[in-house]
Amino acid sequence: MFRGVLQLGSRPGLSFRQLGTRSGGSTPDWVGKVSEIKKKIQSALPGATWNPLYDTSHLPPEHADVVVVGGGVIGLSVAYWLKKLEKKRDAIRVLVVERDSTYSKASTVLSVGGIRQQFSLPQNIQLSLFSANFLRNINEYLAVTDDPPVDLQFNPLGYLLLASEKDATVLENNVNLQRKEGAKVCLMSPEQLQNKFPWISTEGVALASYGMEGEGWFDPWSLLQGLRRKLQSMGVIFSQGEVTSFVTSSTHLETSSGEKVVLKRIREVHVKMDNSLEYQPVECAIVINAAGAWSGQVAQLAGIGMGPPGTLKGTKLPVEPRKRYVYVWHCPQGPGLEAPLVADVSGVYFRREGLGHNYLGGRSPTEEEEPDPTNLEVDYDFFQDKVWPHLAKRVPAFNTLKVQSAWAGYYDYNTFDQNGVVGPHPLVVNMYFATGFSGHGLQHSPAVGRAVAEMVLEGHFQTIDMSPFLFSRFYLEEKFQERNII
């Protein structure tokens, strides 16, 4: 009954011309006036020091056209493309709100930094191809005058996916699709695999796929800092704080079938300042929910999922934090510099880390093994029991490895179909999603940012058709399942 309402997400929304920039917060003119006043007071009262009653420099502006909730690479990418694609320079005022200014718990910097085209859905393959081109030409996009170039430390060594007998047909079909979309991926028999990588055991392997171009890994921190630096040069405003509530207005409509529908629009975002009880209300036209593992909570603040079960209003954003461990080990006899990122039939993965015979890897737990996501403590027994046996079976040299360190990070895990959520909400019409990528958000961030910006500015996707990623699929129970989750 709500299909007409659901189509709102694909209709032209707020056009570029409707994004009116309103001044707010500190402006250069105001800063200059304050400076003059300070000088006058100091000259009138020799020896006195300037002690303002209330300093507002740490607050976000009172007005922004677009508020991006979440300052990881996906949120920053959305902000970048909004500024890049704006029709007139400085036409759009963009505010990025990030609560963790150190990024110590951010999924971006705690990931292993991989990029691959070896996915099972055309859209994910297209996202990877776009992002690989962006990363390959990073300084054509993110260069800042008089600043050093961005160095992503990209290792183009590919992904090697191994399949058992029962999964070989699926792997072959995936590779055919990847090639059709333009990815350079080859299939390898166990014999070919052994010849190319003699350090690997082919026991239990029926087929392998190997990415020959545009795959490997890079430094996530370098991409994050490159985006932040570029956005600052483009006039994007950054604020350290946490979005705690929204102020909304409602419009009551009736569908052709007589059903009553309430559309909501966010008018204000309340940003709570770090280590403080104060908050700043920010008037805005658009909100981008790029809060990663916590985007489901941000959606609830806007009333999403708070209606009766089985209704569109009661349909939640099914994204939650899932903790994943990454272990680092040393093995002098391990694979050499040519080693790709290997994804084993068991689900265990590993790659080389640096030049000193160090490696990192891990495995996603089963539903029964899911660890407590309320902290980022590492379970070393999980490596001992669930990871190491498979590593040693696949690479005999790893029998003698020694674990050096480990960390844990969060997936923004989409429990519905492990795929991203992109585009506007059908009822909270000016909240746009860029979340739920379940472990492949970093590598897809350049393309996802562009897709969201296109939807905001033009009302539809242009570069890649992301319609299957819309929120409406949760209400309609239409899964868009990605099979290749590592």
Short mmCIF file of all heavy atoms in Angstrom, two decimals, residues 415-457:
data_model
loop_
_atom_site.label_atom_id
_atom_site.label_comp_id
_atom_site.label_asym_id
_atom_site.label_seq_id
_atom_site.Cartn_x
_atom_site.Cartn_y
_atom_site.Cartn_z
N THR A 415 22.21 -6.39 9.31
CA THR A 415 21.73 -7.73 9.66
C THR A 415 20.74 -8.29 8.65
O THR A 415 20.46 -9.49 8.66
CB THR A 415 21.08 -7.72 11.05
OG1 THR A 415 19.96 -6.81 11.03
CG2 THR A 415 22.08 -7.28 12.11
N PHE A 416 20.22 -7.43 7.77
CA PHE A 416 19.19 -7.85 6.81
C PHE A 416 19.81 -8.59 5.63
O PHE A 416 19.40 -9.71 5.30
CB PHE A 416 18.41 -6.64 6.32
CG PHE A 416 17.29 -6.95 5.37
CD1 PHE A 416 16.12 -7.53 5.83
CD2 PHE A 416 17.38 -6.63 4.02
CE1 PHE A 416 15.07 -7.81 4.96
CE2 PHE A 416 16.35 -6.91 3.15
CZ PHE A 416 15.18 -7.50 3.62
N ASP A 417 20.80 -7.98 4.97
CA ASP A 417 21.41 -8.62 3.80
C ASP A 417 22.89 -8.29 3.61
O ASP A 417 23.44 -8.49 2.53
CB ASP A 417 20.62 -8.29 2.52
CG ASP A 417 20.53 -6.79 2.25
OD1 ASP A 417 21.26 -6.01 2.92
OD2 ASP A 417 19.74 -6.38 1.39
N GLN A 418 23.55 -7.75 4.66
CA GLN A 418 24.99 -7.47 4.64
C GLN A 418 25.39 -6.56 3.48
O GLN A 418 26.48 -6.70 2.91
CB GLN A 418 25.81 -8.77 4.60
CG GLN A 418 25.69 -9.63 5.84
CD GLN A 418 24.38 -10.41 5.89
OE1 GLN A 418 24.12 -11.21 5.00
NE2 GLN A 418 23.55 -10.17 6.89
N ASN A 419 24.51 -5.64 3.14
CA ASN A 419 24.80 -4.72 2.04
C ASN A 419 24.52 -3.29 2.47
O ASN A 419 23.81 -3.04 3.46
CB ASN A 419 23.97 -5.07 0.81
CG ASN A 419 24.82 -5.15 -0.44
OD1 ASN A 419 25.85 -4.49 -0.54
ND2 ASN A 419 24.41 -5.95 -1.40
N GLY A 420 25.05 -2.34 1.72
CA GLY A 420 24.93 -0.94 2.09
C GLY A 420 23.51 -0.40 2.00
O GLY A 420 22.64 -0.97 1.33
N VAL A 421 23.29 0.71 2.70
CA VAL A 421 22.03 1.44 2.64
C VAL A 421 22.36 2.84 2.15
O VAL A 421 23.12 3.57 2.80
CB VAL A 421 21.34 1.52 4.02
CG1 VAL A 421 19.93 2.06 3.88
CG2 VAL A 421 21.35 0.17 4.72
N VAL A 422 21.80 3.21 1.01
CA VAL A 422 22.16 4.47 0.35
C VAL A 422 20.89 5.17 -0.11
O VAL A 422 19.99 4.54 -0.68
CB VAL A 422 23.09 4.22 -0.86
CG1 VAL A 422 23.44 5.53 -1.55
CG2 VAL A 422 24.37 3.51 -0.42
N GLY A 423 20.82 6.49 0.14
CA GLY A 423 19.69 7.27 -0.35
C GLY A 423 18.76 7.70 0.76
O GLY A 423 19.00 7.45 1.95
N PRO A 424 17.65 8.37 0.41
CA PRO A 424 16.77 8.98 1.41
C PRO A 424 15.83 7.98 2.08
O PRO A 424 15.53 6.92 1.54
CB PRO A 424 15.96 9.97 0.56
CG PRO A 424 15.89 9.34 -0.79
CD PRO A 424 17.22 8.64 -0.98
N HIS A 425 15.38 8.36 3.28
CA HIS A 425 14.34 7.59 3.94
C HIS A 425 13.00 8.00 3.33
O HIS A 425 12.77 9.17 3.03
CB HIS A 425 14.34 7.87 5.44
CG HIS A 425 13.43 6.98 6.21
ND1 HIS A 425 12.11 7.32 6.48
CD2 HIS A 425 13.63 5.76 6.75
CE1 HIS A 425 11.55 6.33 7.16
NE2 HIS A 425 12.44 5.37 7.35
N PRO A 426 12.07 7.07 3.13
CA PRO A 426 10.80 7.40 2.47
C PRO A 426 9.86 8.27 3.30
O PRO A 426 8.99 8.94 2.75
CB PRO A 426 10.17 6.03 2.18
CG PRO A 426 10.84 5.09 3.11
CD PRO A 426 12.22 5.61 3.33
N LEU A 427 10.02 8.30 4.63
CA LEU A 427 9.14 9.09 5.48
C LEU A 427 9.85 10.29 6.12
O LEU A 427 9.26 11.36 6.20
CB LEU A 427 8.51 8.21 6.57
CG LEU A 427 7.59 7.09 6.10
CD1 LEU A 427 7.03 6.31 7.30
CD2 LEU A 427 6.45 7.63 5.25
N VAL A 428 11.08 10.09 6.58
CA VAL A 428 11.89 11.22 7.06
C VAL A 428 12.68 11.68 5.83
O VAL A 428 13.80 11.26 5.59
CB VAL A 428 12.81 10.80 8.22
CG1 VAL A 428 13.56 12.01 8.77
CG2 VAL A 428 12.01 10.14 9.33
N VAL A 429 12.05 12.54 5.05
CA VAL A 429 12.43 12.69 3.65
C VAL A 429 13.77 13.40 3.43
O VAL A 429 14.32 13.32 2.33
CB VAL A 429 11.32 13.44 2.87
CG1 VAL A 429 10.07 12.61 2.81
CG2 VAL A 429 11.04 14.81 3.50
N ASN A 430 14.30 14.09 4.44
CA ASN A 430 15.58 14.76 4.23
C ASN A 430 16.71 14.12 5.03
O ASN A 430 17.75 14.72 5.22
CB ASN A 430 15.51 16.26 4.52
CG ASN A 430 15.19 16.57 5.97
OD1 ASN A 430 14.59 15.76 6.67
ND2 ASN A 430 15.55 17.76 6.41
N MET A 431 16.49 12.86 5.50
CA MET A 431 17.61 12.07 6.02
C MET A 431 18.05 11.08 4.96
O MET A 431 17.26 10.26 4.48
CB MET A 431 17.25 11.32 7.31
CG MET A 431 18.38 10.38 7.77
SD MET A 431 18.14 9.60 9.39
CE MET A 431 18.75 10.91 10.46
N TYR A 432 19.33 11.18 4.60
CA TYR A 432 19.91 10.30 3.58
C TYR A 432 20.90 9.35 4.26
O TYR A 432 21.67 9.76 5.14
CB TYR A 432 20.64 11.12 2.51
CG TYR A 432 19.73 11.91 1.61
CD1 TYR A 432 19.04 13.02 2.07
CD2 TYR A 432 19.55 11.53 0.27
CE1 TYR A 432 18.19 13.74 1.24
CE2 TYR A 432 18.72 12.25 -0.57
CZ TYR A 432 18.03 13.35 -0.07
OH TYR A 432 17.20 14.07 -0.90
N PHE A 433 20.90 8.10 3.82
CA PHE A 433 21.77 7.09 4.42
C PHE A 433 23.01 6.85 3.58
O PHE A 433 22.97 6.89 2.35
CB PHE A 433 21.02 5.77 4.58
CG PHE A 433 19.82 5.84 5.48
CD1 PHE A 433 18.53 5.76 4.97
CD2 PHE A 433 19.98 6.00 6.85
CE1 PHE A 433 17.43 5.83 5.80
CE2 PHE A 433 18.88 6.08 7.70
CZ PHE A 433 17.60 5.99 7.16
N ALA A 434 24.11 6.57 4.27
CA ALA A 434 25.34 6.08 3.65
C ALA A 434 26.00 5.19 4.70
O ALA A 434 26.92 5.60 5.41
CB ALA A 434 26.25 7.24 3.25
N THR A 435 25.50 3.96 4.82
CA THR A 435 25.91 3.12 5.95
C THR A 435 25.60 1.66 5.65
O THR A 435 25.05 1.32 4.59
CB THR A 435 25.17 3.57 7.23
OG1 THR A 435 25.68 2.85 8.35
CG2 THR A 435 23.66 3.35 7.11
N GLY A 436 25.98 0.78 6.60
CA GLY A 436 25.58 -0.62 6.56
C GLY A 436 26.38 -1.50 5.61
O GLY A 436 25.89 -2.55 5.20
N PHE A 437 27.63 -1.14 5.32
CA PHE A 437 28.38 -1.87 4.30
C PHE A 437 29.05 -3.13 4.82
O PHE A 437 29.70 -3.85 4.05
CB PHE A 437 29.39 -0.93 3.62
CG PHE A 437 28.72 0.09 2.75
CD1 PHE A 437 28.35 1.32 3.25
CD2 PHE A 437 28.40 -0.22 1.44
CE1 PHE A 437 27.69 2.24 2.46
CE2 PHE A 437 27.74 0.70 0.63
CZ PHE A 437 27.39 1.93 1.15
N SER A 438 28.93 -3.39 6.09
CA SER A 438 29.29 -4.69 6.66
C SER A 438 30.73 -5.10 6.35
O SER A 438 31.01 -6.27 6.08
CB SER A 438 28.32 -5.77 6.16
OG SER A 438 26.99 -5.38 6.40
N GLY A 439 31.64 -4.14 6.38
CA GLY A 439 33.05 -4.46 6.21
C GLY A 439 33.68 -3.97 4.93
O GLY A 439 34.91 -4.00 4.80
N HIS A 440 32.88 -3.54 3.93
CA HIS A 440 33.49 -3.03 2.70
C HIS A 440 33.18 -1.56 2.46
O HIS A 440 33.24 -1.07 1.33
CB HIS A 440 33.10 -3.88 1.49
CG HIS A 440 31.63 -4.16 1.33
ND1 HIS A 440 30.98 -5.21 1.94
CD2 HIS A 440 30.68 -3.53 0.62
CE1 HIS A 440 29.71 -5.21 1.62
NE2 HIS A 440 29.50 -4.18 0.82
N GLY A 441 32.89 -0.82 3.53
CA GLY A 441 32.60 0.60 3.38
C GLY A 441 33.81 1.43 3.00
O GLY A 441 33.71 2.34 2.19
N LEU A 442 34.97 1.12 3.59
CA LEU A 442 36.19 1.88 3.28
C LEU A 442 36.50 1.84 1.79
O LEU A 442 36.70 2.87 1.15
CB LEU A 442 37.37 1.33 4.09
CG LEU A 442 38.74 1.91 3.72
CD1 LEU A 442 38.85 3.36 4.13
CD2 LEU A 442 39.86 1.08 4.35
N GLN A 443 36.52 0.66 1.22
CA GLN A 443 36.91 0.53 -0.18
C GLN A 443 35.86 1.11 -1.13
O GLN A 443 36.19 1.51 -2.24
CB GLN A 443 37.17 -0.94 -0.53
CG GLN A 443 35.99 -1.87 -0.35
CD GLN A 443 36.35 -3.31 -0.64
OE1 GLN A 443 36.65 -3.67 -1.79
NE2 GLN A 443 36.36 -4.15 0.39
N HIS A 444 34.62 1.20 -0.70
CA HIS A 444 33.57 1.74 -1.56
C HIS A 444 33.27 3.21 -1.30
O HIS A 444 32.42 3.80 -1.97
CB HIS A 444 32.28 0.91 -1.40
CG HIS A 444 32.34 -0.43 -2.06
ND1 HIS A 444 31.42 -1.42 -1.82
CD2 HIS A 444 33.22 -0.95 -2.95
CE1 HIS A 444 31.72 -2.49 -2.54
NE2 HIS A 444 32.82 -2.22 -3.23
N SER A 445 33.95 3.79 -0.33
CA SER A 445 33.61 5.15 0.10
C SER A 445 33.67 6.19 -1.00
O SER A 445 32.78 7.06 -1.07
CB SER A 445 34.49 5.56 1.29
OG SER A 445 35.86 5.50 0.97
N PRO A 446 34.67 6.20 -1.90
CA PRO A 446 34.66 7.23 -2.95
C PRO A 446 33.40 7.18 -3.82
O PRO A 446 32.81 8.22 -4.14
CB PRO A 446 35.92 6.93 -3.76
CG PRO A 446 36.83 6.23 -2.79
CD PRO A 446 35.92 5.40 -1.95
N ALA A 447 32.97 5.97 -4.19
CA ALA A 447 31.81 5.82 -5.06
C ALA A 447 30.51 6.08 -4.31
O ALA A 447 29.57 6.68 -4.85
CB ALA A 447 31.79 4.43 -5.69
N VAL A 448 30.42 5.63 -3.06
CA VAL A 448 29.21 5.84 -2.27
C VAL A 448 29.00 7.33 -2.02
O VAL A 448 27.88 7.84 -2.11
CB VAL A 448 29.29 5.07 -0.94
CG1 VAL A 448 28.16 5.48 -0.01
CG2 VAL A 448 29.24 3.57 -1.20
N GLY A 449 30.08 8.04 -1.71
CA GLY A 449 29.98 9.48 -1.50
C GLY A 449 29.42 10.19 -2.71
O GLY A 449 28.56 11.08 -2.59
N ARG A 450 29.86 9.79 -3.88
CA ARG A 450 29.35 10.42 -5.11
C ARG A 450 27.87 10.08 -5.31
O ARG A 450 27.08 10.94 -5.70
CB ARG A 450 30.16 9.98 -6.32
CG ARG A 450 29.59 10.52 -7.62
CD ARG A 450 30.57 10.68 -8.72
NE ARG A 450 29.95 11.41 -9.83
CZ ARG A 450 30.57 12.29 -10.58
NH1 ARG A 450 31.82 12.61 -10.34
NH2 ARG A 450 29.94 12.90 -11.57
N ALA A 451 27.50 8.82 -5.05
CA ALA A 451 26.11 8.41 -5.25
C ALA A 451 25.17 9.21 -4.37
O ALA A 451 24.11 9.67 -4.81
CB ALA A 451 25.97 6.91 -4.97
N VAL A 452 25.53 9.39 -3.10
CA VAL A 452 24.68 10.14 -2.18
C VAL A 452 24.60 11.60 -2.60
O VAL A 452 23.53 12.21 -2.59
CB VAL A 452 25.20 10.02 -0.73
CG1 VAL A 452 24.39 10.90 0.20
CG2 VAL A 452 25.11 8.56 -0.27
N ALA A 453 25.73 12.17 -2.99
CA ALA A 453 25.73 13.57 -3.45
C ALA A 453 24.85 13.75 -4.67
O ALA A 453 24.13 14.75 -4.80
CB ALA A 453 27.17 14.02 -3.74
N GLU A 454 24.89 12.80 -5.60
CA GLU A 454 24.03 12.88 -6.79
C GLU A 454 22.56 12.86 -6.40
O GLU A 454 21.76 13.62 -6.95
CB GLU A 454 24.35 11.71 -7.73
CG GLU A 454 25.71 11.82 -8.42
CD GLU A 454 26.07 10.56 -9.19
OE1 GLU A 454 25.36 9.53 -9.05
OE2 GLU A 454 27.07 10.59 -9.92
N MET A 455 22.21 12.00 -5.46
CA MET A 455 20.82 11.92 -5.04
C MET A 455 20.37 13.21 -4.36
O MET A 455 19.26 13.70 -4.60
CB MET A 455 20.64 10.72 -4.10
CG MET A 455 19.22 10.55 -3.58
SD MET A 455 17.99 10.27 -4.88
CE MET A 455 18.12 8.49 -5.09
N VAL A 456 21.24 13.79 -3.53
CA VAL A 456 20.90 15.04 -2.85
C VAL A 456 20.75 16.19 -3.85
O VAL A 456 19.79 16.97 -3.79
CB VAL A 456 21.98 15.40 -1.80
CG1 VAL A 456 21.78 16.81 -1.26
CG2 VAL A 456 21.94 14.40 -0.65
N LEU A 457 21.68 16.30 -4.78
CA LEU A 457 21.72 17.46 -5.68
C LEU A 457 20.79 17.32 -6.88
O LEU A 457 20.25 18.32 -7.37
CB LEU A 457 23.15 17.70 -6.16
CG LEU A 457 24.17 18.04 -5.06
CD1 LEU A 457 25.57 18.14 -5.66
CD2 LEU A 457 23.81 19.33 -4.35
#
